[in-house]
Amino acid sequence: MDTTHIQLAHGGGGQLTADLISQVILPAIGGPQHSHQLTDAATLEAPHGHLAFTTDSYVVQPLEFPGGDIGKLAVCGTINDLSVVGAHPLGMSLALVIQEGFEIELLRRLLTSAGAEAKAAGAHVVTGDTKVVDRSACDGLIINSSGVGLVHPAARLGFDRVNEGDAILLSGPLGEHGLAVMSKRKGLSFSADLVSDCASIGQLTAALLEEFGPAVHFMRDPTRGGLAATLAELSVGARRDLEIVESSIPANKTVRAAAEMLGLDVLAAANEGKLVAVLEAGAAAKAIAILSKFKIARRAAVIGAVGAASDDPLVELVTTAGGRRVVQMPYGEELPRIC
Amino acid sequence: MDTTHIQLAHGGGGQLTADLISQVILPAIGGPQHSHQLTDAATLEAPHGHLAFTTDSYVVQPLEFPGGDIGKLAVCGTINDLSVVGAHPLGMSLALVIQEGFEIELLRRLLTSAGAEAKAAGAHVVTGDTKVVDRSACDGLIINSSGVGLVHPAARLGFDRVNEGDAILLSGPLGEHGLAVMSKRKGLSFSADLVSDCASIGQLTAALLEEFGPAVHFMRDPTRGGLAATLAELSVGARRDLEIVESSIPANKTVRAAAEMLGLDVLAAANEGKLVAVLEAGAAAKAIAILSKFKIARRAAVIGAVGAASDDPLVELVTTAGGRRVVQMPYGEELPRIC
């Protein structure tokens, strides 16, 4: 493998991405030395309470897919990154890099979608930027969205807050976004039945923090790299084993079938409207009841528990057949340009 | 002209950009209805004081040029956007879209440059994102940088604060960035003598606010579209005529010669380390004395004055020959991919 040039896999949200960030990017910019010290949004000291600040660039292809488009995705992604650090958005940005020749009507449609999603989520696009590049320099449209939020005063979230016995919750079925985009891209005939879960999860996180405050220990949206990447990062960050139970994980049959056909692991497929939350075991049942009231989380479930401290922590899946297998951090790019 | 597709000129920072923003982007996302109501950084209501929040994507080619590179440019650009609304950075983001096959050593060099500039300016990169796309989807590297800042408590800046008789200050010669990048790109033989002015101007804006507080009425960094675009926006936003004097504008002879050879207007050429400030006339002399102490502003000068209120305001240039000409908003893309 060529180690002196960027590979597609460096952008896959898996181990190669983590290596690139910790070995190249962070040392170069003088940031923290380990990527697992990074969270989805930065928390900034502010006079009253804490601010959160996050950024993401979106390069999804195709630009429109069942259940969403790059505009909605950019807004949801940034709101969700703020949400999982316990913040609600004060303002967000949209920065566009547009290919020369891009259809204006399509741009309008994508931005309208972005605006509608922001409005529905109570967020406001307060700043932006527009660049146009020649045809050879970008295929279509790239959107960066950044966001600033105010952290809920009761939020006490972090790897160091995760304890043995804590419950691991998942808000719904896995892989809907990843499989919807892949099927659309490949023109598969069942693509109409596959719909991205692209959604803002701010209501879910706010409801949990409002009810349980510091009993919520960790939250994350399992996007690139899927649940596998989220749990692998959590186990390494918390230095604890994790156990999840396959039969407890909400399943979408169409997604499972498509994943099998394409040879993809649903655990590693991207989601854009799901929440993973870790909280005190005693709060789990009520948390599921609260989450289930929201349409996007009506199939929320406890999928596992946090185990003992370990210097070499593992994520284990108890399979429906009763066996056990280790859930690995995805190595590289399973589904390129999924977000 | 094809009005249904994006042209390169839509990204030039001139009239076509303003049209695209006000006619397509803002209506679609539900923002303010006129682009001149937008400032470079968003100010967010916060518990104590005001936050500023800004974003920019950088697509400059070549990635490295005399006096800077895309990394330094991204950091300076975001710091400068915060600075001209009176804010100092609390934190900034870097989001990378990298072409498959990009040389890692070059990436390291560019990010090191970004990190060094941030450190020198007292800013911190606190969050980021990395995407990799295939070779056909992006030529090299695109960087988005966003920033959050705290606004100086004495800052009272805005179009509505600009009064007749106010002095217009410029911190140094025009066009150094635009001509350095263009000459490097075209491989012109005099390119070694052309050096971008790429720099953070936070010290300049802070010094003015510290000394004069609300007597500073407006600040802007004249980037894409140059001084011409900045003054055109100011005159429209403030609904006032402006007059600038050609002989007062600091000149760089090499830049002027290169611009003449390339058929470019220095007034419309991009700058990446310059400040335009409007303040009470009585404060102008002292302001020049303060700015001149900084190396990047040692040629700071009063270049003109704010005129009377007008429903159809004009920016007029008094030429060295004693004539007068109207300074127009640049129409489109004079120097593509300059930032």
Side-chain angles (χ1 to χ4, degrees):
Chain A
M1 178 180 154
D2 178 358
T3 58
T4 61
H5 291 80
I6 294 286
Q7 312 294 322
L8 264 182
H10 277 120
Q15 189 59 49
L16 275 184
T17 303
D19 290 348
L20 180 68
I21 291 172
S22 63
Q23 292 168 19
V24 177
I25 296 176
L26 292 179
I29 62 173
Q33 292 309 301
H34 299 287
S35 59
H36 65 74
Q37 293 171 345
L38 298 175
T39 55
D40 280 329
T43 301
L44 306 173
E45 296 294 330
H48 265 234
H50 288 78
L51 297 173
F53 170 39
T54 186
T55 190
D56 268 301
S57 292
Y58 293 85
V59 297
V60 66
Q61 285 289 344
L63 297 174
E64 299 179 293
F65 47 82
D69 54 61
I70 191 172
K72 181 181 181 186
L73 187 61
V75 168
C76 291
T78 286
I79 290 173
N80 293 351
D81 281 350
L82 293 176
S83 299
V84 294
V85 298
H88 74 267
L90 293 174
M92 55 184 301
S93 68
L94 288 180
L96 314 176
V97 178
I98 314 169
Q99 185 190 37
E100 180 187 20
F102 195 84
E103 192 194 348
I104 289 182
E105 195 49 44
L106 176 56
L107 181 63
R108 197 191 307 266
R109 197 156 72 230
L110 297 170
L111 292 173
T112 301
S113 172
E117 185 62 33
K119 189 175 180 190
H124 300 277
V125 178
V126 295
T127 188
D129 178 49
T130 306
K131 297 287 191 305
V132 179
V133 294
D134 39 290
R135 282 165 202 267
S136 65
C138 149
D139 62 343
L141 176 66
I142 295 173
I143 299 183
N144 176 281
S145 62
S146 300
V148 178
L150 191 63
V151 179
H152 193 292
R156 299 288 183 277
L157 301 162
F159 291 139
D160 60 334
R161 300 270 300 133
V162 172
N163 298 317
E164 185 166 358
D166 281 357
I168 303 172
L169 277 61
L170 174 66
S171 65
L174 293 175
E176 291 168 338
H177 178 73
L179 274 299
V181 172
M182 280 307 279
S183 299
K184 174 83 192 267
R185 198 185 300 165
K186 291 178 179 292
L188 300 183
S189 58
F190 50 71
S191 68
D193 299 325
L194 291 170
V195 179
S196 169
D197 61 337
C198 184
S200 299
I201 60 170
Q203 288 182 299
L204 308 183
T205 56
L208 292 182
L209 288 172
E210 207 53 50
E211 178 68 27
F212 302 111
V216 185
H217 295 159
F218 175 84
M219 298 194 289
R220 185 68 64 92
D221 53 330
T223 55
R224 278 188 296 175
L227 183 68
T230 294
L231 294 181
E233 284 174 20
L234 172 59
S235 70
V236 170
R239 302 180 73 81
R240 290 186 176 278
D241 293 331
L242 307 177
E243 184 181 277
I244 57 170
V245 178
E246 191 170 22
S247 60
S248 305
I249 300 174
N252 176 321
K253 284 179 184 175
T254 311
V255 169
R256 296 242 158 167
E260 279 184 26
M261 202 184 103
L262 294 168
L264 299 172
D265 181 359
V266 170
L267 287 182
N271 314 278
E272 292 291 345
K274 292 299 184 297
L275 171 68
V276 172
V278 176
L279 69 177
E280 288 177 9
K286 191 168 184 186
I288 295 297
I290 289 171
L291 291 178
S292 304
K293 288 179 189 156
F294 295 94
K295 190 181 171 195
I296 59 169
R298 60 178 191 273
R299 298 183 61 194
V302 177
I303 62 164
V306 177
S310 166
D311 286 337
D312 189 17
L314 285 180
V315 181
E316 281 197 300
L317 176 77
V318 180
T319 68
T320 44
R324 302 178 77 88
R325 75 168 171 95
V326 173
V327 177
Q328 301 277 4
M329 180 73 162
Y331 181 68
E333 185 79 37
E334 180 150 300
L335 299 170
R337 305 192 64 181
I338 212 69
C339 63
Chain B
M1 179 179 153
D2 179 358
T3 58
T4 62
H5 290 80
I6 293 286
Q7 312 295 321
L8 264 183
H10 277 120
Q15 189 58 49
L16 274 184
T17 303
D19 290 349
L20 180 69
I21 292 172
S22 64
Q23 292 168 19
V24 177
I25 297 177
L26 292 179
I29 63 174
Q33 293 307 302
H34 299 288
S35 59
H36 66 74
Q37 292 171 346
L38 299 174
T39 54
D40 279 328
T43 301
L44 306 171
E45 295 294 330
H48 265 234
H50 288 78
L51 297 172
F53 169 37
T54 185
T55 190
D56 268 300
S57 292
Y58 293 86
V59 297
V60 65
Q61 284 289 343
L63 298 174
E64 299 178 294
F65 47 81
D69 54 62
I70 192 172
K72 180 182 181 184
L73 186 62
V75 168
C76 291
T78 287
I79 291 173
N80 292 351
D81 280 350
L82 293 176
S83 300
V84 295
V85 297
H88 73 267
L90 293 173
M92 55 184 301
S93 67
L94 287 180
L96 313 176
V97 178
I98 314 170
Q99 185 190 38
E100 179 188 19
F102 195 83
E103 191 193 350
I104 288 181
E105 194 50 43
L106 176 56
L107 180 63
R108 197 190 308 266
R109 197 157 71 231
L110 296 170
L111 292 172
T112 301
S113 171
E117 185 62 32
K119 190 175 177 189
H124 301 279
V125 178
V126 296
T127 189
D129 178 49
T130 305
K131 297 287 191 305
V132 179
V133 294
D134 40 290
R135 283 167 201 267
S136 65
C138 146
D139 62 343
L141 175 67
I142 295 172
I143 299 182
N144 176 279
S145 63
S146 300
V148 178
L150 192 63
V151 179
H152 193 292
R156 299 287 182 278
L157 301 163
F159 291 138
D160 60 336
R161 299 269 299 131
V162 173
N163 298 317
E164 184 167 359
D166 282 356
I168 304 172
L169 277 61
L170 173 65
S171 65
L174 293 174
E176 292 167 338
H177 178 73
L179 274 299
V181 171
M182 279 307 279
S183 299
K184 173 83 193 266
R185 198 187 299 165
K186 291 180 178 292
L188 301 185
S189 58
F190 50 70
S191 68
D193 298 325
L194 290 170
V195 178
S196 168
D197 61 336
C198 184
S200 300
I201 60 170
Q203 288 181 298
L204 308 184
T205 55
L208 291 182
L209 288 173
E210 207 53 50
E211 178 68 28
F212 302 110
V216 184
H217 295 161
F218 175 82
M219 299 194 289
R220 185 66 64 88
D221 54 330
T223 55
R224 278 188 296 175
L227 182 68
T230 294
L231 294 182
E233 286 173 22
L234 172 59
S235 69
V236 170
R239 303 180 73 80
R240 289 186 176 278
D241 293 329
L242 306 177
E243 183 182 276
I244 56 171
V245 179
E246 191 170 23
S247 60
S248 305
I249 299 175
N252 176 321
K253 284 181 184 173
T254 311
V255 169
R256 296 243 159 164
E260 278 183 26
M261 201 185 104
L262 293 167
L264 299 171
D265 181 358
V266 170
L267 287 181
N271 313 277
E272 291 291 346
K274 292 298 183 297
L275 170 67
V276 172
V278 176
L279 68 178
E280 287 176 10
K286 190 168 184 185
I288 295 296
I290 290 171
L291 291 177
S292 304
K293 289 180 188 156
F294 295 96
K295 190 180 169 195
I296 59 170
R298 60 178 190 273
R299 298 184 61 194
V302 177
I303 61 165
V306 176
S310 166
D311 286 338
D312 191 14
L314 285 182
V315 180
E316 280 196 300
L317 176 76
V318 179
T319 67
T320 44
R324 301 178 78 89
R325 75 168 172 96
V326 173
V327 178
Q328 300 277 4
M329 180 73 163
Y331 181 69
E333 185 79 37
E334 180 150 301
L335 299 169
R337 303 190 67 182
I338 211 70
C339 62

